[in-house]
Amino acid sequence: MSIVKQIQQAAIQSLNELFNQSFTNKDFQLNQTKPEFEGDYTIVLFSLVKSLKLSPDDIGNQLGKHLTQKEESIFTKFNIIKGFLNLTIVDEYWLTILTRSYKDVCFGKKEMNGKKVMVEYSSPNTNKPLHLGHLRNIFLGWSTAEILKANGNEVIKTCIVNDRGIHICKSMIAWQLFANGATPKSTNTKGDHFVGEYYVKFNDELKKQINELKKQGMNEKEAEKETPIMKQAQQMLLDWEAGKPVLISLWNKMNSWVYEGFDITYKKVGADFDKAYYESNTYLLGKKIVEEGLQKNVFAQDEDASVWIDLTTDGLDRKIVQRSDGTSVYITQDIGLAQQKYEEYAIDQSIYVIGDEQNYHMKVLKLIAEKLNLPNAQNIYHLSYGMVELPSGKMKSREGTVVDADDIVNEMENVAKAKTEELGKVKDFTTEELTTLYTTIGLGALKFFLLRVEPKKKMIFNPEESIDFHGFTGPFVQYTHARIKSILRKSEIQNSKFKIQNLLPLEKKLLIILEQFGGVIDKAANEHNPSEIAIYVFEVAKIFNSFYAEHSITNAESEEKKQLRLQLASMSATVIKSGMQLLGIDVPERM
RNA sequence: GGUCUGGUAGCUCAGCUGGAUAGAGCAUCAGCCUUCUAAGCUGAGGGUCAUUGGUUCGAAUCCAAUCCAGAUCACCA
């Protein structure tokens, strides 16, 4: 049990015994004591004043005395300052945690709780390569999944591939018109980039044709509809839905190129999926749902046969769920898929990692699912994240300001290489080891950069300044790990208990934060927020570095101190490593 | 216009289920490598927590209004 919970429990029990009143842990606040005061944890007394009808000092004195007497294996002393009861935990308590857990790679993680969670993330269109925004999505989804696992859930990672629709038709048309049979192989291009080039070509041609029509006096919108190339794309979509064989085979071919490209990127950044759904298989889902919804009177049909749901009583608008021609719209497929996911996996929670531009859509989806009484409707959770923007504003593919995923990964590796060579600490590495190290550091910097910010906040990426390797960054944490490992390679830890008269402030500070790991995982899991882990792991590294600068480990004052510090170092490395793993970041042994 | 999100140091961000003098990193300045990896450590300067009002013993945090920025409200996905 965590120290926080133990203190809460002890305090509740003491209050009960002292005043014969029962409290819960929500009735008083428990904080870590601020560094300028003596103590480890602090109970804020003000909130108890009303129900106990005593002054804060009075309560603090009685509670402090009672706790130190009754729970002397936990508390050693207390002081009260202005309504704050500062409690000092006995050193043996911290030392027990240390000797018990210093090499436990599962430290902080929970037993399986029997819950099943599905995390859907990435979900790209198949007409262009992945960009920095996708990377935020991928890292968030992957990390959230790992955090949920660490907190005891069974997790299914999934992905819905938007492999059909007008966007891919556009690439297909352009390929037919301009490629002369070129392939990724013949042009030596990565498949997703290859197809993306044709998507760009489509838009270039479209722009040309629009301009010509505009010269004839049409306005922009009319012109776009009337361009031959747009009409071709729309016709192609119809033909595709009709299953025209030539088209299907072209579609398969181009999608397979894209998948080859995606696979390379996924593998590089460490993304993986237990199950992939394809829109070409799910887009017809929902017909049944519409029928059922009509029967349940959740949906209503207009005169033109289109089907709607009225959400005005929920503060939203009317939403169409089936077109007048009987085809289903995006949201209908989503409802169908939501149900399918549940039927296939009987999941307890269904998480969607999707950008905040779809907040409204996801709200509607959940609301409809609830109104239809779908079994898992309540447990649909939209993990919404803000857009990644450039200093100049949004990334726009049309203006060529999109930061390509492969490019940025490459660039980070190059920066890692340059910095590593500059420092010259790993000259004995083989070429292979160096390549791995550059990837580890480059990706570490990138992932940490994208995960350290709270998901729902939009973030700004400045390509000019690139990503830092100092301070609140992945490489800083990785470096700390490498430093610790360097020490541990040189000295052997004896698994002995030791009696230490008193822990030095920095030793204790380290232990206190290390002990909190489990609580941090719990919070990150409940809030679906990997940035909690990033912030925590950085804090651990920072405290370790202070400790490292202040106290010698291998040349400690005594053999006992040396053993204590070796164990402390070992536990720090373990926690840093598992924390970083939850973010999808490797930590090197040397760098 | 309706709904939702954000606004904290020059920059990027923590803190937001109310608690002690609002914290980090970057940048700037001053120190620290003959001792375990200086991608590090120590210190300094830097704040009208968008604004105004309210609730409270206590507000960056909760409530209301206003201002600014963004997203969204399609028989697109």
Side-chain angles (χ1 to χ4, degrees):
Chain A
M1 190 167 39
S2 70
I3 182 68
V4 168
K5 280 188 184 152
Q6 286 197 52
I7 297 174
Q8 283 172 336
Q9 237 173 53
I12 288 166
Q13 201 183 331
S14 286
L15 288 168
N16 196 356
E17 285 171 22
L18 283 167
F19 307 107
N20 200 25
Q21 280 193 42
S22 45
F23 293 93
T24 70
N25 56 27
K26 290 195 171 131
D27 293 321
F28 56 90
Q29 223 172 57
L30 180 63
N31 303 329
Q32 204 178 328
T33 306
K34 304 245 167 200
E36 55 268 37
F37 303 99
E38 192 193 359
D40 299 330
Y41 279 91
T42 297
I43 292 176
V44 185
L45 301 163
F46 299 103
S47 55
L48 298 168
V49 168
K50 238 181 201 168
S51 43
L52 294 177
K53 299 194 174 73
L54 291 167
S55 76
D57 279 13
D58 237 354
I59 301 169
N61 257 312
Q62 294 195 46
L63 184 56
K65 256 182 215 156
H66 199 263
L67 283 173
T68 41
Q69 276 166 17
K70 288 221 49 163
E71 303 280 356
E72 54 184 3
S73 63
I74 303 179
F75 306 103
T76 170
K77 51 184 169 178
F78 70 95
N79 65 79
I80 299 152
I81 299 167
K82 292 199 296 181
F84 296 87
L85 171 60
N86 302 317
L87 298 159
T88 303
I89 311 299
V90 298
D91 283 351
E92 281 74 23
Y93 183 93
W94 301 119
L95 290 170
T96 308
I97 291 173
L98 180 63
T99 46
R100 202 196 306 148
S101 311
Y102 74 91
K103 57 180 176 185
D104 177 8
V105 292
C106 290
F107 178 74
K109 299 184 179 173
K110 315 284 185 302
E111 302 279 308
M112 296 301 277
N113 61 17
K115 287 240 167 87
K116 231 188 224 184
V117 183
M118 180 174 267
V119 180
E120 178 195 294
Y121 71 103
S122 185
S123 305
N125 287 351
T126 58
N127 62 329
K128 50 179 185 249
L130 305 172
H131 57 69
L132 189 56
H134 290 113
L135 290 182
R136 187 177 195 192
N137 181 307
I138 290 167
F139 298 159
L140 260 178
W142 194 91
S143 177
T144 302
E146 292 303 312
I147 291 165
L148 286 165
K149 269 190 212 168
N151 213 36
N153 300 281
E154 184 186 337
V155 177
I156 302 130
K157 295 177 192 162
T158 182
C159 167
I160 167 92
V161 184
N162 298 308
D163 61 344
R164 50 138 256 136
I166 195 75
H167 56 267
I168 183 69
C169 290
K170 288 177 179 176
S171 294
M172 284 159 69
I173 290 280
W175 186 84
Q176 285 181 332
L177 290 174
F178 308 118
N180 288 319
T183 65
K185 220 177 210 170
S186 76
T187 55
N188 197 19
T189 313
K190 190 159 165 282
D192 50 338
H193 290 261
F194 179 84
V195 172
E197 279 171 22
Y198 288 93
Y199 187 69
V200 171
K201 285 200 169 105
F202 174 94
N203 282 313
D204 290 348
E205 179 62 22
L206 178 68
K207 210 179 276 172
K208 233 189 267 171
Q209 296 188 4
I210 289 174
N211 282 337
E212 259 165 50
L213 290 176
K214 269 160 81 178
K215 274 184 209 153
Q216 295 167 27
M218 272 190 212
N219 68 37
E220 179 95 23
K221 272 192 178 169
E222 275 177 342
E224 183 170 343
K225 275 189 204 157
E226 291 303 316
T227 53
I229 198 164
M230 193 53 130
K231 286 189 164 171
Q232 277 175 290
Q234 264 144 7
Q235 184 56 45
M236 186 179 262
L237 186 59
L238 291 175
D239 291 343
W240 181 91
E241 294 200 9
K244 202 173 167 187
V246 197
L247 215 51
I248 299 291
S249 96
L250 174 62
W251 172 76
N252 272 322
K253 187 161 72 179
M254 289 187 74
N255 271 339
S256 74
W257 292 338
V258 172
Y259 299 148
E260 279 170 29
F262 282 176
D263 284 347
I264 292 168
T265 308
Y266 283 148
K267 199 169 176 205
K268 181 88 197 181
V269 302
D272 60 335
F273 304 95
D274 301 304
K275 162 88 184 177
Y277 291 101
Y278 293 87
E279 199 193 324
S280 53
N281 292 327
T282 63
Y283 83 107
L284 293 175
L285 279 175
K287 296 262 176 190
K288 206 177 76 189
I289 305 252
V290 171
E291 258 170 53
E292 286 167 7
L294 279 169
Q295 272 168 20
K296 290 183 195 164
N297 280 327
V298 175
F299 300 150
Q301 197 149 28
D302 265 14
E303 282 172 16
D304 66 0
S306 59
V307 181
W308 298 76
I309 182 165
D310 187 353
L311 300 170
T312 46
T313 50
D314 298 281
L316 305 177
D317 299 311
R318 251 164 60 99
K319 181 88 184 173
I320 192 160
V321 294
Q322 190 173 82
R323 297 192 187 94
S324 51
D325 64 6
T327 56
S328 65
V329 296
Y330 185 59
I331 191 119
T332 329
Q333 308 162 31
D334 273 357
I335 304 162
L337 183 57
Q339 188 169 22
Q340 192 180 328
K341 281 176 175 178
Y342 180 80
E343 284 166 358
E344 280 180 23
Y345 291 96
I347 43 178
D348 296 289
Q349 191 179 35
S350 186
I351 296 172
Y352 296 74
V353 184
I354 303 178
D356 63 6
E357 58 200 350
Q358 296 207 42
N359 283 355
Y360 181 79
H361 174 82
M362 290 304 297
K363 205 169 165 182
V364 170
L365 174 66
K366 183 167 181 172
L367 205 52
I368 295 179
E370 281 171 9
K371 286 185 187 293
L372 287 170
N373 266 325
L374 297 193
N376 59 338
Q378 299 293 335
N379 297 315
I380 288 176
Y381 180 84
H382 177 202
L383 174 43
S384 169
Y385 64 91
M387 298 290 107
V388 182
E389 294 181 4
L390 302 169
S392 54
K394 281 189 87 168
M395 293 193 283
K396 287 178 187 144
S397 47
R398 282 180 201 161
E399 290 167 25
T401 55
V402 171
V403 179
D404 179 78
D406 298 319
D407 288 351
I408 186 72
V409 170
N410 251 320
E411 201 185 310
M412 295 314 298
E413 285 176 333
N414 289 336
V415 178
K417 182 174 184 228
K419 300 234 176 193
T420 304
E421 283 171 353
E422 195 184 310
L423 292 167
K425 293 180 182 179
V426 286
K427 287 182 176 152
D428 57 324
F429 270 34
T430 64
T431 319
E432 211 172 298
E433 284 171 330
L434 283 173
T435 311
T436 310
L437 182 65
Y438 301 151
T439 304
T440 302
I441 297 174
L443 268 180
L446 184 60
K447 289 187 179 185
F448 200 93
F449 179 83
L450 290 172
L451 288 174
R452 66 177 199 179
V453 181
E454 192 188 351
K456 75 174 173 191
K457 294 209 175 174
K458 72 169 186 206
M459 59 191 303
I460 294 169
F461 170 76
N462 190 340
E464 304 290 313
E465 295 172 9
S466 193
I467 294 172
D468 215 323
F469 280 40
H470 302 269
F472 186 16
T473 67
F476 169 88
V477 180
Q478 290 173 320
Y479 172 71
T480 308
H481 179 265
R483 262 183 148 182
I484 298 173
K485 284 298 172 150
S486 164
I487 296 167
L488 295 178
R489 273 194 298 274
K490 289 172 189 158
S491 300
E492 206 165 312
I493 307 182
Q494 281 140 25
N495 195 1
S496 57
K497 277 213 159 192
F498 29 67
K499 277 187 192 146
I500 295 293
Q501 300 302 326
N502 47 356
L503 281 168
L504 295 170
L506 277 168
E507 292 166 345
K508 187 146 101 173
K509 203 174 169 193
L510 237 189
L511 261 170
I512 289 178
I513 194 170
L514 290 171
E515 191 274 340
Q516 292 167 350
F517 188 38
V520 172
I521 291 177
D522 198 53
K523 195 169 180 225
N526 292 332
E527 293 175 2
H528 311 281
N529 183 3
S531 76
E532 294 279 353
I533 303 284
I535 292 165
Y536 170 78
V537 141
F538 169 64
E539 206 64 38
V540 171
K542 218 170 37 157
I543 294 172
F544 181 85
N545 280 323
S546 297
F547 162 77
Y548 175 94
E550 189 72 26
H551 305 294
S552 177
I553 296 169
T554 43
N555 285 319
E557 305 87 281
S558 66
E559 182 59 26
E560 282 204 323
K561 270 288 183 197
K562 181 177 169 183
Q563 286 303 319
L564 167 82
R565 289 181 189 160
L566 282 171
Q567 290 192 9
L568 256 177
S570 163
M571 189 161 173
S572 302
T574 306
V575 166
I576 285 173
K577 187 171 184 174
S578 14
M580 289 290 264
Q581 275 172 347
L582 294 178
L583 303 174
I585 300 174
D586 267 339
V587 284
E589 298 287 310
R590 291 179 56 196
M591 68 185 272

